[in-house]
Each structure stands twice: as structure tokens, then as C-alpha cells.
Amino acid sequence: MSLILYGHPFSSYCQKVLIPLYENGIEFEFRHLSPDQPRNAAEHARLWPLKRMPLLTDGERVVVESSLIVEYLDIRFPGPVKFIPSDPEAALQVRFLDRFFDQYVMSPMQKVVFDALRAPDIRDPHGVDEARGLLDSAYRWIDGELRGREWAASSGFGLAECAAAPALFYADWVHPIPGSCGDLRAYRRRLLERPSFARAVDEARPFRAFFPLGAPDRD
């Protein structure tokens, strides 16, 4: 098989890449990165010494970083769903929203999660408070942008949703989206109903016990 994805089903950035793979029915081999798969970990470290996931190989070609992997799949394995619009202006909007969800939802969410994994004496409560404040600001902004739209970008389902789905999925566990952000809450529900993301969520269910803040009994 040509395509190999190194990652873990519970990883938000890996789920971001699984969405286009499932949307367009692209065949691939999923090599799990976990303590019980040392060979996969060794291969991954050889291919990318920074040891960050996800990583995609296509024959001899190595592609890292989730947004770039999605764009690579869009170019090399086009399917019914086009994740980057052909129109440059529309593509710019999609890429901005991708960065928005990664930088202002995914990153502060991970700050809170990773802080919970630290020993109590080295935790960063001020940094966690800042992260929660950033999430509040991000929720309010994107809620306004979503008014009257089904998907984040005017061009429709695409790269922005690949970033938004796992970011909002986990962020709502960490720092719940307030009821005042009704459009954002509805958007998150639509993402969970999308078959490609629903499949990624289901495949990650066996690992929910490892969520350091405790996974809620929903979703």
C-alpha cells in the first residue's frame, strides 16, 4: 500500500487528517504510535526526528504537519470533496480558518490538557487561565462568523472543517462552549454528524479513559 499514516486515533491532529482520508475513500495503512508498537515508533522517529504526529508517507515521500498533509491529499488523491478551493480568494479564507482553529482553539485546549498531565508542583495556573480566556474569545468570534452558514467558509466543507472538528470536539470537553454561542454549538453538532468525523470519533472511543481531565459521558 502506498500511503501510510503514523499517528494515534485519539490525537486531535491525527483526526484532522483522517477526515479527508475517509471523506474521499482514500486507501491507507494506519500505523499506531503507542507504547505497545515500538517498531512503529522507531520508524516514525527515523522519518521525522522531531517525533510529532501525524506523519504521512507516500512511497518514498514524507509529509508532515496536518494542514500540509490535507493539502497534499487534495492534490495527489482528489475526490468528491475538494478541501482547498481552486479560487485563490476562497482558498485564502479556508487557510485562514484552518489557522484560526489550530492556533486559537486547538492550541489553548491543548495547553489546559497538557498542564493537567504535569506534576502539581510544576503546573501553570496563570497560563491555563489565559488559555481559557483565549477559548472564550475564539468561541465568541467564530460564533458570529458562522451566522447563516452551514460550514465555516463560504466555499463549503473543506480544510477548515478538518481543523474545526477535532479542535471543537475536545475544546468543549475542556472548556464548554457557552449556551450564548448557539451557532457554534450547532456547528459542532453538524461536525459530529458528518460520517467521516463520526468514524474518527468512534475509532477513538476505546482511549477515552486516558483523557487527563476525564471524558464526559456524551458525544
Side-chain angles (χ1 to χ4, degrees), residues 178-201:
S180 58
C181 293
D183 288 287
L184 179 57
R185 290 166 66 91
Y187 177 59
R188 184 179 182 273
R189 286 195 297 272
R190 288 195 295 277
L191 291 167
L192 280 164
E193 291 167 359
R194 188 82 176 190
S196 57
F197 185 53
R199 178 178 172 183
V201 169

Side-chain angles (χ1 to χ4, degrees), residues 100-145:
F100 173 84
F101 284 112
D102 275 5
Q103 297 289 342
Y104 304 121
V105 180
M106 193 94 79
S107 290
M109 175 274 291
Q110 290 187 329
K111 167 66 178 177
V112 179
V113 171
F114 292 153
D115 194 76
L117 293 169
R118 292 176 166 182
D121 59 325
I122 58 171
R123 285 180 181 161
D124 178 18
H126 177 69
V128 168
D129 286 345
E130 286 188 327
R132 291 185 182 278
L134 183 55
L135 282 170
D136 283 332
S137 296
Y139 289 164
R140 287 192 297 270
W141 183 84
I142 194 62
D143 182 68
E145 291 295 303

Side-chain angles (χ1 to χ4, degrees), residues 29-88:
E29 178 185 345
F30 198 172
R31 293 191 182 173
H32 287 205
L33 296 174
S34 59
D36 60 342
Q37 298 284 344
R39 181 175 178 179
N40 291 347
E43 290 175 2
H44 179 243
R46 176 180 59 80
L47 292 165
W48 186 226
L50 273 65
K51 301 179 183 178
R52 293 293 185 266
M53 63 173 98
L55 178 147
L56 183 80
T57 62
D58 181 10
E60 295 300 313
R61 186 155 194 176
V62 176
V63 188
V64 298
E65 296 300 321
S66 58
S67 297
L68 294 178
I69 294 173
V70 175
E71 191 153 0
Y72 180 80
L73 292 171
D74 210 31
I75 294 168
R76 287 276 290 112
F77 301 90
V81 178
K82 187 168 178 59
F83 289 88
I84 308 289
S86 299
D87 177 74

